[in-house]
Amino acid sequence: MAKKVLVVDGDENIVIALDFLLRRAGYEVAVARDGEEALSLTDSFAPDLILLETVLPKMDGFELCRRLRQDPRHAGRKILFLTARGRDIDRAKGLALGADGYLTKPFSTRELLEHMERLLAPGAA
């Protein structure tokens, strides 16, 4: 069964590229373009992994990550920030809020897929 990935990003070009890349790699993909939509889709789509931008309309990625980590229903979901915000303080904040990883844009598709595979591997912490 294909792993489910929720892409949360407001940039249409990034969304199109990630949707194509991830489907080609065998993932089932859903897309949210703002934090509130992502919160709702997390319940209905039940993703194994959330690719999360920090800068989003309605609710930023940091707040979304915080809310997901406080909800026991989402404790096992992997969260990987994929964002243009590459400052050390942003990375530290994302990881402190409970993200499982933090990659910055621009990113290598190979690096992204490898990181996702590690996070989704059986027994991955």
Side-chain angles (χ1 to χ4, degrees), residues 85-95 102:
R85 293 180 70 168
R87 297 180 313 165
D88 288 343
I89 193 163
D90 294 319
R91 177 183 304 274
K93 181 177 181 178
L95 296 174
Y102 197 102

PDB file of all heavy atoms in Angstrom, residues 85-95 102:
ATOM      1  N   ARG A  85      12.633  29.261   4.549  1.00  0.00           N
ATOM      2  CA  ARG A  85      13.208  29.875   5.757  1.00  0.00           C
ATOM      3  C   ARG A  85      14.338  28.990   6.281  1.00  0.00           C
ATOM      4  O   ARG A  85      14.102  28.007   6.961  1.00  0.00           O
ATOM      5  CB  ARG A  85      12.134  30.072   6.817  1.00  0.00           C
ATOM      6  CG  ARG A  85      11.100  31.111   6.369  1.00  0.00           C
ATOM      7  CD  ARG A  85      10.041  31.334   7.378  1.00  0.00           C
ATOM      8  NE  ARG A  85      10.582  32.034   8.540  1.00  0.00           N
ATOM      9  CZ  ARG A  85       9.815  32.551   9.485  1.00  0.00           C
ATOM     10  NH1 ARG A  85       8.511  32.449   9.421  1.00  0.00           N
ATOM     11  NH2 ARG A  85      10.356  33.160  10.523  1.00  0.00           N
ATOM     12  N   GLY A  86      15.566  29.397   5.936  1.00  0.00           N
ATOM     13  CA  GLY A  86      16.711  28.566   6.248  1.00  0.00           C
ATOM     14  C   GLY A  86      17.585  29.036   7.386  1.00  0.00           C
ATOM     15  O   GLY A  86      18.650  28.477   7.617  1.00  0.00           O
ATOM     16  N   ARG A  87      17.134  30.057   8.117  1.00  0.00           N
ATOM     17  CA  ARG A  87      17.955  30.536   9.234  1.00  0.00           C
ATOM     18  C   ARG A  87      18.016  29.471  10.333  1.00  0.00           C
ATOM     19  O   ARG A  87      17.063  28.701  10.527  1.00  0.00           O
ATOM     20  CB  ARG A  87      17.386  31.830   9.804  1.00  0.00           C
ATOM     21  CG  ARG A  87      17.396  32.980   8.809  1.00  0.00           C
ATOM     22  CD  ARG A  87      16.830  34.246   9.384  1.00  0.00           C
ATOM     23  NE  ARG A  87      15.571  33.966  10.070  1.00  0.00           N
ATOM     24  CZ  ARG A  87      14.978  34.794  10.916  1.00  0.00           C
ATOM     25  NH1 ARG A  87      15.507  35.948  11.195  1.00  0.00           N
ATOM     26  NH2 ARG A  87      13.836  34.467  11.483  1.00  0.00           N
ATOM     27  N   ASP A  88      19.121  29.461  11.046  1.00  0.00           N
ATOM     28  CA  ASP A  88      19.301  28.489  12.131  1.00  0.00           C
ATOM     29  C   ASP A  88      18.181  28.576  13.157  1.00  0.00           C
ATOM     30  O   ASP A  88      17.723  27.551  13.668  1.00  0.00           O
ATOM     31  CB  ASP A  88      20.654  28.699  12.829  1.00  0.00           C
ATOM     32  CG  ASP A  88      21.821  28.269  11.974  1.00  0.00           C
ATOM     33  OD1 ASP A  88      21.616  27.517  10.994  1.00  0.00           O
ATOM     34  OD2 ASP A  88      22.958  28.687  12.276  1.00  0.00           O
ATOM     35  N   ILE A  89      17.733  29.795  13.461  1.00  0.00           N
ATOM     36  CA  ILE A  89      16.681  29.965  14.461  1.00  0.00           C
ATOM     37  C   ILE A  89      15.361  29.339  13.991  1.00  0.00           C
ATOM     38  O   ILE A  89      14.614  28.767  14.782  1.00  0.00           O
ATOM     39  CB  ILE A  89      16.492  31.450  14.842  1.00  0.00           C
ATOM     40  CG1 ILE A  89      15.644  31.553  16.100  1.00  0.00           C
ATOM     41  CG2 ILE A  89      15.914  32.258  13.697  1.00  0.00           C
ATOM     42  CD1 ILE A  89      15.722  32.903  16.781  1.00  0.00           C
ATOM     43  N   ASP A  90      15.073  29.421  12.687  1.00  0.00           N
ATOM     44  CA  ASP A  90      13.858  28.803  12.148  1.00  0.00           C
ATOM     45  C   ASP A  90      13.951  27.284  12.215  1.00  0.00           C
ATOM     46  O   ASP A  90      13.002  26.602  12.590  1.00  0.00           O
ATOM     47  CB  ASP A  90      13.607  29.259  10.710  1.00  0.00           C
ATOM     48  CG  ASP A  90      13.294  30.742  10.612  1.00  0.00           C
ATOM     49  OD1 ASP A  90      12.546  31.242  11.471  1.00  0.00           O
ATOM     50  OD2 ASP A  90      13.805  31.391   9.683  1.00  0.00           O
ATOM     51  N   ARG A  91      15.110  26.758  11.832  1.00  0.00           N
ATOM     52  CA  ARG A  91      15.335  25.307  11.892  1.00  0.00           C
ATOM     53  C   ARG A  91      15.182  24.814  13.336  1.00  0.00           C
ATOM     54  O   ARG A  91      14.488  23.828  13.595  1.00  0.00           O
ATOM     55  CB  ARG A  91      16.724  24.959  11.367  1.00  0.00           C
ATOM     56  CG  ARG A  91      17.084  23.488  11.447  1.00  0.00           C
ATOM     57  CD  ARG A  91      18.516  23.233  10.981  1.00  0.00           C
ATOM     58  NE  ARG A  91      18.755  23.719   9.649  1.00  0.00           N
ATOM     59  CZ  ARG A  91      18.505  23.015   8.547  1.00  0.00           C
ATOM     60  NH1 ARG A  91      18.004  21.811   8.633  1.00  0.00           N
ATOM     61  NH2 ARG A  91      18.759  23.526   7.364  1.00  0.00           N
ATOM     62  N   ALA A  92      15.800  25.517  14.267  1.00  0.00           N
ATOM     63  CA  ALA A  92      15.726  25.124  15.681  1.00  0.00           C
ATOM     64  C   ALA A  92      14.284  25.174  16.181  1.00  0.00           C
ATOM     65  O   ALA A  92      13.840  24.281  16.913  1.00  0.00           O
ATOM     66  CB  ALA A  92      16.620  26.030  16.525  1.00  0.00           C
ATOM     67  N   LYS A  93      13.547  26.196  15.775  1.00  0.00           N
ATOM     68  CA  LYS A  93      12.152  26.329  16.200  1.00  0.00           C
ATOM     69  C   LYS A  93      11.325  25.164  15.668  1.00  0.00           C
ATOM     70  O   LYS A  93      10.548  24.558  16.407  1.00  0.00           O
ATOM     71  CB  LYS A  93      11.581  27.651  15.705  1.00  0.00           C
ATOM     72  CG  LYS A  93      10.143  27.893  16.113  1.00  0.00           C
ATOM     73  CD  LYS A  93       9.658  29.260  15.649  1.00  0.00           C
ATOM     74  CE  LYS A  93       8.227  29.514  16.070  1.00  0.00           C
ATOM     75  NZ  LYS A  93       7.768  30.858  15.653  1.00  0.00           N
ATOM     76  N   GLY A  94      11.478  24.842  14.381  1.00  0.00           N
ATOM     77  CA  GLY A  94      10.728  23.743  13.781  1.00  0.00           C
ATOM     78  C   GLY A  94      10.999  22.414  14.464  1.00  0.00           C
ATOM     79  O   GLY A  94      10.081  21.649  14.771  1.00  0.00           O
ATOM     80  N   LEU A  95      12.257  22.143  14.730  1.00  0.00           N
ATOM     81  CA  LEU A  95      12.620  20.886  15.383  1.00  0.00           C
ATOM     82  C   LEU A  95      12.156  20.870  16.839  1.00  0.00           C
ATOM     83  O   LEU A  95      11.703  19.844  17.339  1.00  0.00           O
ATOM     84  CB  LEU A  95      14.123  20.641  15.264  1.00  0.00           C
ATOM     85  CG  LEU A  95      14.623  20.448  13.825  1.00  0.00           C
ATOM     86  CD1 LEU A  95      16.144  20.367  13.793  1.00  0.00           C
ATOM     87  CD2 LEU A  95      13.997  19.234  13.169  1.00  0.00           C
ATOM     88  N   TYR A 102      14.003  19.024   8.690  1.00  0.00           N
ATOM     89  CA  TYR A 102      13.889  20.399   8.214  1.00  0.00           C
ATOM     90  C   TYR A 102      14.797  20.541   7.004  1.00  0.00           C
ATOM     91  O   TYR A 102      16.017  20.471   7.132  1.00  0.00           O
ATOM     92  CB  TYR A 102      14.320  21.355   9.332  1.00  0.00           C
ATOM     93  CG  TYR A 102      13.895  22.788   9.150  1.00  0.00           C
ATOM     94  CD1 TYR A 102      12.809  23.298   9.851  1.00  0.00           C
ATOM     95  CD2 TYR A 102      14.592  23.647   8.304  1.00  0.00           C
ATOM     96  CE1 TYR A 102      12.422  24.631   9.716  1.00  0.00           C
ATOM     97  CE2 TYR A 102      14.210  24.967   8.154  1.00  0.00           C
ATOM     98  CZ  TYR A 102      13.127  25.455   8.861  1.00  0.00           C
ATOM     99  OH  TYR A 102      12.746  26.765   8.726  1.00  0.00           O
TER     100      TYR A 102
END
